[in-house]
Amino acid sequence: MNIYDVSQKAGVSIATVSRVINGNQNVSEKTKQKVLNVMQELGYTPNVFARGLGLNTMKTIGILCLDSSDPFLANAVFYLEQNLRKYGYDIILCCTGYDLVNKQKYLQLLLSKRVDAVILVGSYFLETVRKDNAYLLEAANNIPIIILNGYLSHPNIYCSLCDDYQSVFDATTRLLESGRKRVLYLYHTKSYSGMQKLNGYKDAVAAFGMSVDESLLVLAKNNMQQTQDILSKVYDEGLQFDAIMAAEDLLAVGAIKFAREKGLRIPEELSIIGYNNSLLSTACEPELTSVDNHIETLSITAVSSLMRVFEGHDVPNKTTISNDLILRGTTDFTKQYY
Amino acid sequence: MNIYDVSQKAGVSIATVSRVINGNQNVSEKTKQKVLNVMQELGYTPNVFARGLGLNTMKTIGILCLDSSDPFLANAVFYLEQNLRKYGYDIILCCTGYDLVNKQKYLQLLLSKRVDAVILVGSYFLETVRKDNAYLLEAANNIPIIILNGYLSHPNIYCSLCDDYQSVFDATTRLLESGRKRVLYLYHTKSYSGMQKLNGYKDAVAAFGMSVDESLLVLAKNNMQQTQDILSKVYDEGLQFDAIMAAEDLLAVGAIKFAREKGLRIPEELSIIGYNNSLLSTACEPELTSVDNHIETLSITAVSSLMRVFEGHDVPNKTTISNDLILRGTTDFTKQYY
DNA sequence: TTGTAGGCGTTATCAG
DNA sequence: CTGATAACGCCTACAA
């Protein structure tokens, strides 16, 4: 069934039917109702392909995501979908994995599907070698590119980030102010936001008048067990630390397990702070103090920026929102440790 | 740029270009190469809308999901996307929430987008009142409907499920065999798979020669804190139990927190079994014994069933896979409790 | 093996 | 306010 069937049954031309479908004002109320009735009666829905062909858009946004099973990224995808749908956009989800070749391939795929924009979820998409980002810049020549938690300065690329640098800076400072002498920094990625966090840590230590001990920067895998193992290893080798600032809740939970293994009391002998304020932070024991990076707000911001781009407004290349530290059992800032 | 530009530059007709694009054999190797070169040179990509219009498909599968931020569902979506992409299908993700009206609305939306099939993730889509499922049956008249972890007997609806009944039956039986006298059943939903699990529990108790004590069936919310609270409440009211079989890891973790609050030793005084073998099961302390329901296998099964449907094969309406119980610290089946 | 021409279902322009 | 008609870009008989 198509627009012709409707027009015929309603006794009008297809042009009129089309006008009704698209809410064009130039239709008399009477004809409009007549057409609407017929459409209802026939259960008619416009063919999206034909419409896409004419308008060269199907109101679809591509979402590129490393791994939508990661709880943090899954949350981001969820909120993006919810908000985009409010504006009538569908999302095509596309998970790439870490491999640069796949990222390029899938971005290309989305472009070939004629999506109206692409949203990159997570700073993993920004390679450290600048020329490896060329594919993003090129894509931006065609459609708007939105980056969640990553930053790339380029026309038609819009970035929504939480202030990872500041969050880690503040959290580390609080640990130091509470009397902690040796704060270990636990991380697992050198992505854009990974580096922001690391710098926040380094600057906080320096601002506190201490020098950064490179041996306190521990690079782990994004895996609980392996994190526990690597901490055990450096601990057994004699590394001293009385607090851990982790770049991810999962790592922090690994740290809690390490503390239990070694019989270290939390928070007395070891304070721990995680990042993302995920479900994990309340599942563990003691519950985890964690940075809440407001992924919902971030997603809403990203979507509304995109809508403004579509409307032809001037949109800032970079929007930053701040985070909160949610205090739980792995820290006790009411006490002073010496 | 379109197919005409390519044909012109290659000195052939658009039909030939089309044949090359679609891998039609009836093109001489020489012309084929010539056309491929031009396409490469121009960076030409066929317009998917025009193609969709002609073929009436864009090789897209709609995924309907209650809440893709739920870790279990997020996993399912992830594996579905991975596998569908292998067959060249894109996915449109659509989260509905619990409201039946929204489920219907979004299914309708996906149908209007002319997706090739719809996959329902999670048994929450099956309403207890049979006529409330009418919208699914109707949709199945147009395209194949795949249900993950739910069952509805109807032509063109294909269900992939894990054997929730058997898993809970077996797990409960192990608790009883280890000497547990009063196993509390903790659940949060009466969805299709929720009822399967509940029946598994009931039948296991009965098969063990005991009668089901209705007060041991505790309905909670899908929330750690609230689960802890409700368990505390029934415990304070005098309910006796020495084991908990939970329908979801999140509930089981709430149970662990309850045990800590009341000073009950795990597993000596209280054994706990969770469901889904999620990240939570290793984050808590002690780690959680949990049913692994093989969501990856389930997703692969669902996708390959769908592909066989597309190929016109006869596909069973229902495929069931079995689960494993992963033993961790909240149970100790080496001991016998009296 | 190649080319021509009609059709897919809309939207949009322009004339009335 | 309404209608006729030309795009939109591709696929696919059918003809050569």
Side-chain angles (χ1 to χ4, degrees):
Chain A
M1 181 204 347
N2 57 29
I3 202 171
Y4 286 94
D5 299 322
V6 177
S7 76
Q8 199 164 3
K9 182 142 189 179
V12 297
S13 74
I14 60 163
T16 300
V17 177
S18 180
R19 287 190 190 97
V20 172
I21 292 169
N22 296 290
N24 188 311
Q25 295 300 313
N26 297 327
V27 186
S28 75
E29 189 58 31
K30 196 173 144 198
T31 358
K32 184 175 159 187
Q33 282 308 326
K34 191 168 56 181
V35 172
L36 283 175
N37 285 338
V38 173
M39 278 173 27
Q40 175 91 45
E41 199 176 322
L42 264 50
Y44 164 79
T45 337
N47 182 306
V48 285
F49 303 140
R51 188 173 235 171
L53 183 58
L55 301 177
N56 201 32
T57 163
M58 265 182 65
K59 294 200 79 174
T60 306
I61 309 292
I63 294 198
L64 228 41
C65 171
L66 231 73
D67 171 1
S68 69
S69 72
D70 175 288
F72 178 68
L73 301 181
N75 256 299
V77 170
F78 174 74
Y79 289 122
L80 287 171
E81 194 267 345
Q82 295 289 297
N83 285 290
L84 286 167
R85 201 163 290 292
K86 283 182 194 156
Y87 294 95
Y89 285 85
D90 288 316
I91 72 165
I92 293 186
L93 179 61
C94 198
C95 298
T96 64
Y98 286 89
D99 190 18
L100 176 60
V101 175
N102 267 333
K103 293 176 187 165
Q104 295 173 331
K105 184 175 113 190
Y106 284 129
L107 179 60
Q108 210 51 53
L109 183 76
L110 287 177
L111 292 179
S112 78
K113 300 289 176 180
R114 304 285 210 271
V115 296
D116 298 310
V118 170
I119 301 182
L120 308 179
V121 179
S123 63
Y124 300 92
F125 284 96
L126 301 180
E127 309 297 325
T128 41
V129 183
R130 184 161 172 90
K131 78 170 169 51
D132 285 349
N133 290 321
Y135 75 109
L136 295 175
L137 310 184
E138 196 190 316
N141 292 331
N142 302 311
I143 54 173
I145 304 289
I146 309 285
I147 305 179
L148 228 68
N149 268 349
Y151 178 58
L152 201 56
S153 175
H154 191 79
N156 215 23
I157 296 187
Y158 306 90
C159 306
S160 290
L161 329 90
C162 53
D163 199 340
D164 294 318
Y165 170 88
Q166 195 63 43
S167 305
V168 173
F169 184 99
D170 292 347
T172 306
T173 300
R174 292 197 70 170
L175 288 170
L176 294 169
E177 281 177 343
S178 74
R180 298 303 184 177
K181 300 297 179 219
R182 291 181 57 79
V183 180
L184 183 148
Y185 185 71
L186 188 57
Y187 65 120
H188 70 293
T189 169
K190 294 181 174 173
S191 66
Y192 174 81
S193 87
M195 294 315 287
Q196 292 292 108
K197 293 177 191 173
L198 180 57
N199 290 334
Y201 166 82
K202 286 182 176 172
D203 289 358
V205 173
F208 207 73
M210 300 163 67
S211 66
V212 174
D213 179 347
E214 293 286 333
S215 68
L216 284 174
L217 308 178
V218 176
L219 184 59
K221 296 273 162 61
N222 194 19
N223 174 300
M224 244 179 247
Q225 183 63 53
Q226 290 186 36
T227 302
Q228 180 179 350
D229 293 345
I230 195 164
L231 285 174
S232 283
K233 181 162 164 289
V234 297
Y235 181 81
D236 290 342
E237 289 169 0
L239 187 67
Q240 304 271 326
F241 50 94
D242 51 11
I244 295 180
M245 175 71 230
E248 235 291 325
D249 280 347
L250 195 71
L251 306 179
V253 174
I256 292 176
K257 286 174 173 289
F258 149 79
R260 182 168 297 114
E261 174 192 337
K262 297 300 180 186
L264 299 172
R265 282 175 302 135
I266 300 173
E268 294 81 358
E269 296 176 88
L270 185 66
S271 284
I272 302 176
I273 297 182
Y275 208 103
N276 280 352
N277 195 33
S278 67
L279 210 50
L280 290 180
S281 64
T282 55
C284 55
E285 170 62 28
E287 293 189 358
L288 184 66
T289 293
S290 185
V291 175
D292 183 353
N293 54 7
H294 299 299
I295 184 64
E296 180 170 9
T297 310
L298 206 59
S299 306
I300 293 175
T301 307
V303 171
S304 62
S305 290
L306 180 57
M307 293 307 133
R308 289 184 53 79
V309 170
F310 285 153
E311 287 162 6
H313 291 106
D314 218 22
V315 173
N317 179 247
K318 181 178 181 177
T319 311
T320 308
I321 68 172
S322 68
N323 301 329
D324 295 326
L325 186 64
I326 311 295
L327 300 180
R328 296 200 186 85
T330 56
T331 56
D332 182 357
F333 293 129
T334 65
K335 294 223 187 69
Q336 192 69 22
Y337 300 97
Y338 302 98
Chain B
M1 180 204 349
N2 58 30
I3 201 170
Y4 287 94
D5 299 322
V6 177
S7 77
Q8 198 164 3
K9 183 143 187 177
V12 296
S13 74
I14 61 162
T16 300
V17 177
S18 179
R19 287 189 190 98
V20 172
I21 293 169
N22 297 290
N24 187 312
Q25 295 302 311
N26 296 328
V27 186
S28 75
E29 188 59 31
K30 196 173 143 197
T31 0
K32 183 175 161 186
Q33 282 308 326
K34 192 168 58 182
V35 172
L36 283 174
N37 285 338
V38 172
M39 278 173 26
Q40 174 92 45
E41 200 176 321
L42 263 52
Y44 165 80
T45 337
N47 183 305
V48 286
F49 303 140
R51 188 173 237 172
L53 183 57
L55 301 177
N56 200 33
T57 163
M58 265 183 64
K59 293 200 79 172
T60 306
I61 310 292
I63 294 199
L64 226 43
C65 170
L66 231 73
D67 171 2
S68 69
S69 71
D70 175 288
F72 178 67
L73 301 181
N75 256 300
V77 170
F78 174 73
Y79 288 122
L80 288 171
E81 193 267 345
Q82 295 288 298
N83 285 290
L84 286 167
R85 201 163 289 292
K86 284 182 193 156
Y87 294 95
Y89 284 85
D90 289 317
I91 72 165
I92 292 186
L93 179 62
C94 198
C95 298
T96 63
Y98 287 88
D99 190 18
L100 177 60
V101 175
N102 267 333
K103 293 175 188 168
Q104 296 173 331
K105 185 175 112 190
Y106 284 129
L107 180 60
Q108 210 50 54
L109 182 77
L110 287 177
L111 292 178
S112 77
K113 301 290 175 179
R114 305 286 209 272
V115 295
D116 299 310
V118 170
I119 301 182
L120 308 179
V121 179
S123 63
Y124 301 92
F125 284 97
L126 301 180
E127 309 298 324
T128 42
V129 182
R130 185 164 170 89
K131 79 168 169 49
D132 284 348
N133 290 321
Y135 74 111
L136 295 175
L137 309 184
E138 197 189 316
N141 293 332
N142 302 311
I143 54 173
I145 304 288
I146 309 285
I147 304 178
L148 228 68
N149 268 349
Y151 178 59
L152 200 57
S153 175
H154 191 80
N156 216 23
I157 295 187
Y158 306 91
C159 307
S160 291
L161 328 91
C162 52
D163 198 341
D164 293 318
Y165 170 87
Q166 195 63 43
S167 305
V168 173
F169 184 98
D170 292 347
T172 305
T173 300
R174 292 198 68 171
L175 288 170
L176 295 169
E177 281 176 343
S178 74
R180 297 303 185 180
K181 300 295 179 222
R182 291 181 57 79
V183 180
L184 183 149
Y185 185 71
L186 187 58
Y187 66 121
H188 71 292
T189 169
K190 294 181 175 175
S191 66
Y192 174 81
S193 87
M195 293 316 286
Q196 292 292 109
K197 292 176 191 174
L198 180 57
N199 289 335
Y201 166 83
K202 286 181 176 172
D203 289 359
V205 172
F208 207 74
M210 301 163 67
S211 65
V212 175
D213 179 347
E214 292 288 332
S215 67
L216 285 175
L217 307 179
V218 176
L219 184 58
K221 296 274 160 61
N222 194 17
N223 173 300
M224 245 178 247
Q225 182 65 52
Q226 291 185 34
T227 302
Q228 179 179 350
D229 293 346
I230 195 164
L231 284 174
S232 283
K233 180 161 166 290
V234 297
Y235 181 82
D236 290 342
E237 289 169 0
L239 186 67
Q240 304 271 326
F241 50 94
D242 51 11
I244 295 179
M245 175 71 229
E248 235 292 323
D249 280 348
L250 194 72
L251 306 180
V253 175
I256 292 177
K257 287 175 172 286
F258 149 78
R260 183 168 295 114
E261 174 191 338
K262 298 299 180 187
L264 299 172
R265 281 173 302 134
I266 301 175
E268 294 81 359
E269 296 177 89
L270 185 66
S271 283
I272 302 175
I273 297 183
Y275 209 102
N276 280 353
N277 195 32
S278 68
L279 211 50
L280 290 179
S281 63
T282 55
C284 56
E285 170 61 28
E287 294 188 357
L288 183 66
T289 294
S290 185
V291 175
D292 182 355
N293 54 7
H294 299 299
I295 184 63
E296 180 171 11
T297 309
L298 207 58
S299 307
I300 293 175
T301 306
V303 171
S304 61
S305 289
L306 180 56
M307 293 307 133
R308 289 184 54 80
V309 171
F310 285 152
E311 288 162 6
H313 290 106
D314 217 24
V315 173
N317 180 247
K318 181 179 183 177
T319 312
T320 307
I321 67 172
S322 67
N323 301 329
D324 295 325
L325 186 64
I326 310 294
L327 301 180
R328 297 199 184 86
T330 56
T331 56
D332 182 357
F333 293 129
T334 65
K335 295 222 187 70
Q336 192 69 21
Y337 300 97
Y338 301 98

